[in-house]
């Protein structure tokens, strides 16, 4: 299928892997830099000072490390601020509910909303109700978790569908397979022709309690208070740095993650780990004096959580020059122990990736999964036919912590970060150093 000679890269792969593992000089550095970063800056929601201070900090760090072409690319972003939030069942008895607003939800009146609930398990069930059955009520979605891709639609469109029938507000069961009464936030959509109503997530436990009471025919009344604010738009930045290619400097291999997070937890997993293996890969290659034929560019995207804003902005600015993008990589589904790569592209490209993965037999990361949905920010490029990859890792517990107060440094493991870094840096270097361009078929 392909004649790519991977053997000439075995020594350089061993050099990179040994630097990150065992007694290597870079072992533990990704975890240390990430923990310092999230402990100092905390969560980094789009539009916040935390985010902009963290970007400025890393910009200075990249320059001190000697990375090339360090720059910031401005992006217009919204500035939504979470306010006081409270939800409680007040009839048939008093029971506080763990709740977290979705961004950019509108606020309730200052006194909140007090209303009877209507519980449904699907949009189909809701749409079978009449407007008189829904009007003025708080719609509770107690949807079952199938997968993130299938279930997140209730978080994204829950307010719109409930508002179409006259609901006063919407509460969504958190999009997670596991809970210890922990609500998970995330992005929600509004439509121009549909009234905007407040929307929040409650825990699995809270949603199931309300479902059981509702099924018994018990009238349930909830008091919901959300004092969110939608402030004037702000300017944020994608942060970029390069190792300039020795022979084809205008050809780019992108390695990336997003630097923004939600305003809960520390954003260590989503997506601190992905962002930090991406810039540490560049730093490691620089320290090892490894300069490939093409340019490797690290991009830390901003505004991902509010709709891939940074990636979309950068793509729009560069879509007339897509020929310069050879390959795109993003890590945004965890940096747990790596097992291989997820690849989006043609058969010839898959053959090359399968050969590259033989370099990682020593760390048991040789699996290849092909997918048309590789990762969020780089979708603009992969949809345009540019091949891409993300890390395949043991992330079965990723959505336990995702968009919650549980997304902290405690989730991250130093050894797993080292192995992800080794995989990421080696893959980027090999693709950037190939004699022929990576195929787009």
């Amino acid at each position: 299928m392909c004649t790519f000679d991977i053997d000439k890269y075995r020594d350089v792969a061993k050099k990179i892997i040994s630097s990150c593992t065992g007694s290597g000089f870079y072992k533990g550095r990704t975890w240390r830099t990430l923990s310092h970063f999230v402990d100092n800056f905390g969560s980094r929601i789009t539009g916040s000072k935390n985010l902009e201070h963290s970007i400025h900090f890393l910009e200075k760090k990249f320059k001190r490390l000697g990375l090339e072409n360090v720059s910031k690319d401005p992006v217009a972003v919204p500035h939504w601020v979470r306010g006081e939030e409270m939800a409680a069942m007040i009839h048939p008895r008093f029971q506080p509910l763990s709740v977290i607003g979705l961004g950019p939800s509108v606020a309730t009146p200052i006194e909140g909303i007090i209303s009877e609930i209507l519980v449904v398990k699907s949009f189909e069930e809701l749409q079978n109700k009449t407007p008189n059955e829904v009007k003025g009520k708080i719609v509770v979605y107690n949807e079952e978790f199938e997968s993130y891709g299938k279930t997140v639609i209730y978080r994204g469109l829950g307010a719109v569908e409930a508002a179409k029938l006259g609901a006063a507000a919407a509460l969504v069961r958190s999009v997670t397979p596991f809970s210890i009464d922990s609500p998970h936030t995330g992005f929600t959509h509004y439509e121009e022709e549909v009234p905007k109503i407040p929307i929040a997530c409650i825990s699995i436990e809270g949603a199931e309690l309300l479902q059981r009471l509702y099924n018994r025919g018990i009238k349930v009344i909830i008091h919901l208070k959300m004092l969110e604010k939608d402030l004037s738009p702000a300017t944020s930045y994608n942060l970029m740095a390069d190792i300039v290619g020795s022979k084809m400097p205008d050809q780019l291999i992108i390695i990336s993650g997003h630097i923004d997070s939600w305003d809960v937890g520390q954003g260590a997993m989503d997506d601190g780990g992905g962002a930090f293996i991406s810039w540490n890969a560049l730093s490691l290659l620089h320290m090892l004096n490894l300069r490939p034929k093409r340019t490797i560019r690290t991009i830390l995207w901003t505004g991902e959580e509010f709709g891939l804003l940074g990636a979309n902005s950068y793509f729009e600015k560069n879509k007339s020059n897509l020929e310069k993008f050879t390959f795109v990589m993003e890590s945004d589904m965890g940096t747990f122990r790596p097992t291989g790569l997820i690849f989006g592209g043609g058969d010839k490209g898959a053959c090359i990736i399968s050969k590259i993965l033989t370099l990682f037999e020593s760390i048991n990361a040789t699996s290849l999964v092909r997918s048309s949905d590789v990762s969020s920010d780089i979708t603009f490029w992969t949809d345009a036919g540019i091949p891409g990859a993300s890390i395949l890792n043991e992330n079965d517990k990723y959505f336990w912590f995702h968009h919650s107060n549980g997304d902290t440094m405690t989730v991250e493991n130093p050894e797993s970060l080292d192995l992800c870094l080794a995989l990421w840096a080696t893959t980027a270097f090999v693709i950037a150093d190939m004699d022929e361009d990576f195929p787009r078929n």
Side-chain angles (χ1 to χ4, degrees), residues 291-311:
R291 186 178 295 276
K293 296 180 180 70
R294 297 170 188 78
T295 295
I296 300 176
R297 173 167 296 170
T298 288
I299 305 180
L300 305 187
W301 309 111
T302 193
E304 189 272 350
E305 299 292 5
F306 274 75
L308 315 180
L309 303 177

Side-chain angles (χ1 to χ4, degrees), residues 62-63 67-71 239-243 255 279 282 295-300:
F62 291 177
K63 290 178 179 178
L67 303 181
E68 299 167 294
N69 297 333
V70 178
S71 63
L239 180 60
M240 299 179 285
D242 294 346
I243 290 179
I255 53 175
W279 76 255
L282 210 65
T295 295
I296 300 176
R297 173 167 296 170
T298 288
I299 305 180
L300 305 187

Side-chain angles (χ1 to χ4, degrees), residues 26 38 41 116 130 144 148 152 170 175 182 203 213 217-218 223 243 264 271 313 349 354 376 384 398:
Y26 218 89
V38 299
F41 294 103
E116 185 179 351
T130 66
E144 297 288 342
Y148 185 73
V152 74
V175 185
S182 48
S203 67
L213 293 171
I218 297 172
H223 182 195
I243 290 179
V264 290
D271 182 32
S313 172
S354 67
S376 57
Y398 179 82

Side-chain angles (χ1 to χ4, degrees), residues 186-207:
F187 187 68
T188 194
H189 297 270
Y190 288 114
E191 293 181 4
E192 293 224 355
E193 302 302 317
V194 179
K196 294 181 179 181
I197 61 173
I199 182 169
C201 272
I202 54 176
S203 67
I204 292 175
E205 294 87 340

Side-chain angles (χ1 to χ4, degrees), residues 3-11 352 355-359 430:
T3 58
F4 178 57
D5 180 16
I6 193 60
D7 289 335
K8 66 180 181 179
Y9 290 107
R10 296 199 182 278
D11 286 343
I352 292 171
K355 290 191 174 187
I356 292 173
L357 286 167
T358 66
L359 301 173
V430 172

Side-chain angles (χ1 to χ4, degrees), residues 20-34:
C20 303
T21 59
S23 57
F25 78 96
Y26 218 89
K27 179 178 172 62
R29 187 173 298 199
T30 304
W31 188 92
R32 290 193 300 272
T33 55
L34 176 59

Side-chain angles (χ1 to χ4, degrees), residues 137-181:
K137 292 181 179 176
I138 296 174
V139 170
V140 178
Y141 295 98
N142 183 34
E143 78 288 349
E144 297 288 342
F145 184 89
E146 295 183 59
S147 67
Y148 185 73
K150 290 182 179 179
T151 311
V152 74
I153 189 171
Y154 290 94
R155 192 189 75 200
L157 297 176
V160 170
E161 294 304 315
K164 287 177 181 177
L165 292 172
L171 295 174
V172 182
R173 171 174 165 156
S174 288
V175 185
T176 177
F178 176 79
S179 177
I180 48 172
D181 200 31

